[in-house]
Amino acid sequence: VGYEPDPADLALSSIPGQEIFDPRKRKFSEEELKPQPMIKKARKVFIPEDLKDDKYWARRRKNNMAAKRSRDARRLKENQIAIRASFLEKENMALRQEVADLRKELGKCKNVLVKYEARHGPL
């Protein structure tokens, strides 16, 4: 299938410094493609200013970095799945066209065979 994804899309679905994502080769497991359940966020607990010490801010920075990594990883996977789905849709259309062409050719061959058998008898 002649499929060339947009380089900008590939950049958004590849991890910097690693191999570029190839939608032709990457396959996702059933588990990876399952919809994720909606998880309700916990209610925010507001901390009074007088309790925000260095330990609190260190935990906040650590949590913020973890949340960013998680969002980036999710976005990367979503982009990869979208590009792979686009590739599979194009491949599917090409294969359907090929099947249609082969069916048409088979019909022509059958017609030729019927005409031959009508003239010369069965093979």
Side-chain angles (χ1 to χ4, degrees):
V1 175
Y3 174 73
E4 286 302 319
D6 183 5
D9 291 342
L10 285 179
L12 291 173
S13 61
S14 300
I15 299 172
Q18 291 187 1
E19 193 174 317
I20 292 179
F21 175 71
D22 186 357
R24 292 174 192 85
K25 296 178 183 173
R26 176 68 161 97
K27 308 231 183 313
F28 293 95
S29 69
E30 289 289 324
E31 191 63 34
E32 288 177 300
L33 296 174
K34 276 187 180 176
Q36 297 299 309
M38 295 296 291
I39 299 172
K40 290 186 177 182
K41 291 173 72 173
R43 299 190 112 213
K44 288 187 178 183
V45 177
F46 291 100
I47 307 293
E49 286 296 323
D50 58 331
L51 295 179
K52 294 181 180 178
D53 57 359
D54 289 340
K55 183 179 174 184
Y56 168 84
W57 288 114
R59 284 183 23 234
R60 290 300 323 132
R61 279 191 296 277
K62 187 176 176 182
N63 180 263
N64 289 344
M65 291 301 294
K68 183 182 184 323
R69 281 194 309 273
S70 175
R71 285 190 301 270
D72 290 345
R74 187 193 73 237
R75 193 175 305 117
L76 181 76
K77 173 131 333 172
E78 288 172 354
N79 290 343
Q80 289 177 348
I81 290 171
I83 290 174
R84 175 77 173 151
S86 175
F87 164 71
L88 290 174
E89 286 174 0
K90 284 188 173 50
E91 183 180 47
N92 191 28
M93 286 189 327
L95 291 172
R96 285 181 186 274
Q97 184 62 48
E98 185 178 347
V99 166
D101 294 344
L102 289 171
R103 283 186 175 150
K104 192 185 295 183
E105 187 178 339
L106 177 63
K108 289 177 185 176
C109 291
K110 283 182 178 181
N111 287 339
V112 169
L113 181 62
V114 166
K115 288 178 185 176
Y116 177 86
E117 286 180 339
R119 230 185 236 174
H120 304 286
L123 290 175

